[in-house]
Amino acid sequence: MPESILHVNDLHLSFTHEGTPKPVLQGVSFEVFAGEVLAVVGESGSGKSVTAQSIMRLLNPDTACYEKGEIIFAGQNLLNQSEKVLAGYRGRRIGMIFQEPMSSLNPLHSIEKQLAEVLFLHKGLSKVKARPVVLEWLNRVGIRSPEQRLSALPHQLSGGERQRVMIAMALINEPDILIADEPTTALDVTVQAQILRLIKDLQVDLGMAVVFITHDLHIVRALADRVVIMHRGQVVEAGATDEIFNRPQKAYTQMLMAADPGDPPESIRENAATLLNVSHIRTWFPIKKGVFKRVVDHVKAVDDISFVLREGETLGVVGESGSGKTTLGRSIARLLEAEGKAVYAQNHDLLSLSARELKPLRREIQVIFQDPYASLSPRMSIAEIIAEGLRVHEPQLSRDQVEEKVIEALEQVQLDPAVRHRYPNEFSGGQRQRVAIARALILKPRLLILDEPTSALDRAVQREVVILLKSLQREHQLGYIFISHDLDVVRAMSHQMLVMQAGRVVEAGEATSIMTAPQHQYTQKLLRAVNEPL
């Protein structure tokens, strides 16, 4: 029998809000054995991430109260240890990959400095000695041209690249236990497969244990030795992976296993009007060098792309991280400058309108961003965040009318309206993403650009959101540009597809045809990575 290196025993945790304790974890117990991968699975808000953060004692001691239980590591109860002892474990013996890299990386420090700092703190390596180790790990996690990225700041990397930096930071000291909280959420399927193989290889080479928190059941089945199912702060079922998948005992586990994004969408109307006509759009970023900062080349993030989107239609855009998917969406929404044409509603060329001319169209063209924590103001309540667009575009509404619409929007995304007076930091990643969706939907747009809108959601909630988006689309004939690396969700949502690689479209056409009979080898590679995540 392998040695137990971590034991969470009867853990009870409450968060205090306005003097009132609210139970979050209720009797959570599980063990982690040396050299195994333990997957922790459950819906958003089930307590997965809170449990992971409790192991490293990362929760705010002013609001988090451990009422009962123990967390035993290296023969010590971590709940009773000083900050000095815990600091020696964090990042050295226990590594952690966080769900949202933009909020975890320091925006003022270069990538090299942040990775080297971990080596300095735990191994005393100087900057000179740390550099080759940093480069090695950036290579291992799939950062392209790592030498050129050493001086990059987090905002200069894509969402997937930022997550890869976080993974390198967690693994660089080769810890005894790796806690991975949705570590592949922001990654496309091919890089996801690389990262999963990397984690698996290191786990075998180092005898490292992995606590893997995820909502992706494909990953769980391919990676995990054992599974813990959580629901509303409790462990409802635990066991070997094959047992849980093939013979789930609890109704909640059976519901998770049966969750699927759904069937492909219904066909659009034959006489559907053209909503958006994009012609030869390109977004190039200049590369400047020398004393006079002359332009010597360009990064061709989006290079000569054309497509037509009709009312009631969804265009799925897929491709690896850095392929230009997000840049394409932001260019159409005029959040980035681009060349070409993007004719909206037959008579508005979005790329040539002035800021004043564009403003009335902003309510009709909404964007849901990839990282909900970065796109939600931490100083505003959920109600204020969701209502912000209404105050700009419908200033005549009374306070009661605004609140009524906010409540309706929260109910649409399956959030309790009672939470509207709380702040983003009080929610899980999946709950924050639903707030971001509600903020976009409240204005009832005609064109919605969705940048990884379900990436932070578990399968059950993904299905609910997909059903919601399809229902809204049928009712209001909305057009969607659906950017995602999750091909199961793209299959369920999309009528047409664009497959992007290095800023260009390598394959385009009906989504069903591309999914069942891909013609380009790159598309074939993406689909293989979905079916074989390891």
Side-chain angles (χ1 to χ4, degrees), residues 239-443:
T241 302
D242 287 343
E243 285 291 322
I244 294 293
F245 273 83
N246 297 328
R247 288 174 290 279
Q249 300 300 307
K250 303 295 184 180
Y252 177 73
T253 310
Q254 294 166 1
M255 182 274 292
L256 282 183
M257 298 303 160
D260 183 87
D263 297 324
E266 298 175 5
S267 301
I268 65 171
R269 298 174 182 173
E270 290 185 8
N271 60 346
T274 297
L275 185 62
L276 182 69
N277 191 340
V278 174
S279 302
H280 306 292
I281 190 172
R282 72 175 197 173
T283 307
W284 290 10
F285 300 112
I287 300 174
K288 299 179 181 180
K289 289 185 178 180
V291 176
F292 299 104
K293 299 296 182 182
R294 291 192 175 93
V295 176
V296 297
D297 203 351
H298 290 84
V299 175
K300 299 178 181 180
V302 172
D303 193 17
D304 194 27
I305 291 178
S306 302
F307 64 85
V308 173
L309 179 71
R310 291 173 291 176
E311 290 181 341
E313 185 174 41
T314 299
L315 174 73
V317 183
V318 302
E320 291 180 297
S321 177
S323 63
K325 308 187 300 295
T326 294
T327 302
L328 175 63
R330 293 188 178 190
S331 299
I332 292 168
R334 276 288 296 277
L335 300 178
L336 292 172
E337 290 301 317
E339 298 178 4
K341 286 189 174 183
V343 179
Y344 168 74
Q346 299 184 345
N347 59 354
H348 301 287
D349 183 2
L350 300 176
L351 304 186
S352 64
L353 296 178
S354 67
R356 174 181 282 185
E357 293 169 329
L358 188 63
K359 186 177 178 180
L361 298 177
R362 286 291 186 198
R363 69 169 301 160
E364 297 185 23
I365 304 171
Q366 288 288 301
V367 182
I368 297 173
F369 295 98
Q370 179 176 357
D371 188 341
Y373 196 79
S375 64
L376 302 179
S377 172
R379 296 181 177 86
M380 298 171 68
S381 70
I382 297 305
E384 291 170 333
I385 288 170
I386 295 174
E388 189 175 17
L390 288 177
R391 300 194 186 284
V392 173
H393 294 286
E394 297 186 36
Q396 76 281 1
L397 293 178
S398 68
R399 183 175 179 177
D400 289 343
Q401 287 173 319
V402 169
E403 185 167 29
E404 184 180 336
K405 287 180 177 290
V406 169
I407 291 172
E408 180 186 350
L410 285 168
E411 288 174 340
Q412 281 186 320
V413 296
Q414 290 86 43
L415 279 177
D416 183 354
V419 306
R420 65 189 184 278
H421 302 302
R422 292 161 65 180
Y423 289 81
N425 68 297
E426 300 178 70
F427 293 85
S428 69
Q431 289 168 325
R432 285 195 286 264
Q433 189 67 290
R434 280 180 272 178
V435 171
I437 294 173
R439 177 176 60 180
L441 293 178
I442 198 169
L443 290 171

Side-chain angles (χ1 to χ4, degrees), residues 7-199:
H7 186 191
V8 178
N9 182 33
D10 196 26
L11 185 63
H12 289 72
L13 169 70
S14 293
F15 283 145
T16 301
H17 181 67
E18 296 180 350
T20 303
K22 177 185 177 183
V24 177
L25 301 180
Q26 303 176 64
V28 171
S29 298
F30 60 84
E31 286 187 275
V32 182
F33 297 99
E36 78 162 348
V37 178
L38 176 73
V40 181
V41 182
E43 290 180 292
S44 177
S46 64
K48 306 187 302 295
S49 294
V50 170
T51 301
Q53 292 178 45
S54 295
I55 294 171
M56 293 185 70
R57 290 275 304 280
L58 298 178
L59 299 172
N60 186 345
D62 295 332
T63 57
C65 176
Y66 296 96
E67 300 170 333
K68 186 181 177 184
E70 55 187 7
I71 301 172
I72 306 298
F73 174 73
Q76 296 178 310
N77 184 0
L78 298 183
L79 298 182
N80 298 334
Q81 301 306 308
S82 67
E83 278 297 312
K84 183 177 180 180
V85 172
L86 292 171
Y89 290 148
R90 294 170 183 153
R92 176 61 187 95
R93 298 195 63 185
I94 305 175
M96 186 160 185
I97 304 167
F98 294 95
Q99 185 173 358
E100 290 156 340
M102 195 58 184
S103 60
S104 304
L105 296 172
N106 191 318
L108 303 178
H109 292 170
S110 69
I111 298 308
E112 179 181 17
K113 183 173 181 179
Q114 297 189 60
L115 286 169
E117 182 181 26
V118 181
L119 293 168
F120 172 75
L121 287 174
H122 294 288
K123 294 184 177 179
L125 296 187
S126 65
K127 180 179 178 180
V128 173
K129 291 184 178 179
R131 174 166 283 190
V133 182
V134 169
L135 285 172
E136 176 193 352
W137 277 93
L138 290 178
N139 264 310
R140 292 181 77 173
V141 297
I143 295 289
R144 296 171 185 167
S145 305
E147 296 86 355
Q148 298 175 19
R149 297 303 185 96
L150 289 175
S151 60
L153 296 173
H155 75 272
Q156 295 173 305
L157 304 179
S158 70
E161 289 169 330
R162 287 194 291 266
Q163 189 66 292
R164 280 177 266 178
V165 169
M166 278 297 304
I167 291 169
M169 190 179 297
L171 297 178
I172 202 166
N173 278 313
E174 301 179 357
D176 299 325
I177 298 177
L178 174 67
I179 301 172
D181 188 359
E182 300 280 8
T184 58
T185 290
L187 303 180
D188 57 84
V189 289
T190 53
V191 178
Q192 179 186 84
Q194 295 168 16
I195 296 302
L196 293 174
R197 279 194 294 268
L198 172 63
I199 292 174

